[in-house]
Structure formats: structure tokens, C-alpha cells
Amino acid sequence: MTGYLTTHVLDTARGCPAQGLKIELYRIEDEARRHLKTLVTNDDGRTDEQILPAEAFETGVYELVFHAGAYLDASGTPPEDPRFLDVIPIRFGMSEASHYHVPLLLSPFGYSTYRGS
């Protein structure tokens, strides 16, 4: 089996997929962050391609950075200065070659994630 990485972002306050949310992927090596890719969610709250496809997959520590503040601003969420949630980093490890799915459930004042399937 080969490994790969995907995500799905849902706006739980509005009850819909989070379309147009920028996501950055970093690989963490000795506490240094190396940028690998930047993607934007589509109308289903997913990326059009795997965040980390099988041909680029390596076990290790990674970080997904979700740009929630810009998404909330663009979606018409009442503004705050500063926003309670702006940039959401999720650092996680991938220890074997399998499908890793790291979804984000987002609202203006909270979020959650888990290892999905």
C-alpha cells in the first residue's frame, strides 16, 4: 500500500463545505519547517488533488496550516479585530504508508480535527 494525504474542511457555523480556504503543507525536520505545497479548497471543501500524493509520500512529521481568518472574512462572518481564529496549524505524524485524512471542522470560535479515513 502506498501512502497519501487528504483533507476536508467543513464550516460548521454555516453548515457547508469551506470553499476557497487556503491550506499550506510543511514537512517538519529537526524543528525546521519546509514548505511543500499550497492549495485551496474547492466547492466541496476538499482540494482538487491529494495534498501529498503517493509519489511524494514519506513518513515523518508534517504540518497543515489552515488560513481560517481569510476564509471567515471572505465568507461574510462578522469581522473582529483581531479574529479569534486566524491561522490554524495542525502538526501530526505519519508513521506508515497508508491513507492519512486530516479533516478540519471550523467555526469562528472553535475547531476540531481527527484522523479520518
Side-chain angles (χ1 to χ4, degrees), residues 5-55:
L5 174 64
T6 59
T7 192
H8 189 196
V9 185
L10 297 173
D11 183 331
T12 58
R14 295 174 55 222
C16 63
Q19 179 182 8
L21 191 144
K22 182 172 98 171
I23 303 168
E24 295 173 307
L25 174 66
Y26 293 88
R27 181 170 170 85
I28 309 301
E29 298 166 327
D30 300 323
E31 291 304 311
R33 294 167 78 216
R34 182 170 49 101
H35 181 261
L36 300 179
K37 185 183 275 188
T38 300
L39 298 160
V40 177
T41 56
N42 60 24
D43 61 356
D44 192 37
R46 300 175 189 272
T47 57
D48 288 332
E49 60 189 71
Q50 294 170 346
I51 295 174
L52 191 62
E55 61 271 10

Side-chain angles (χ1 to χ4, degrees), residues 21-22 66-73 83 85-88 106:
L21 191 144
K22 182 172 98 171
F66 296 87
H67 291 265
Y71 163 78
L72 293 168
D73 289 344
R83 276 224 176 265
L85 291 176
D86 185 18
V87 176
I88 301 171
L106 173 65

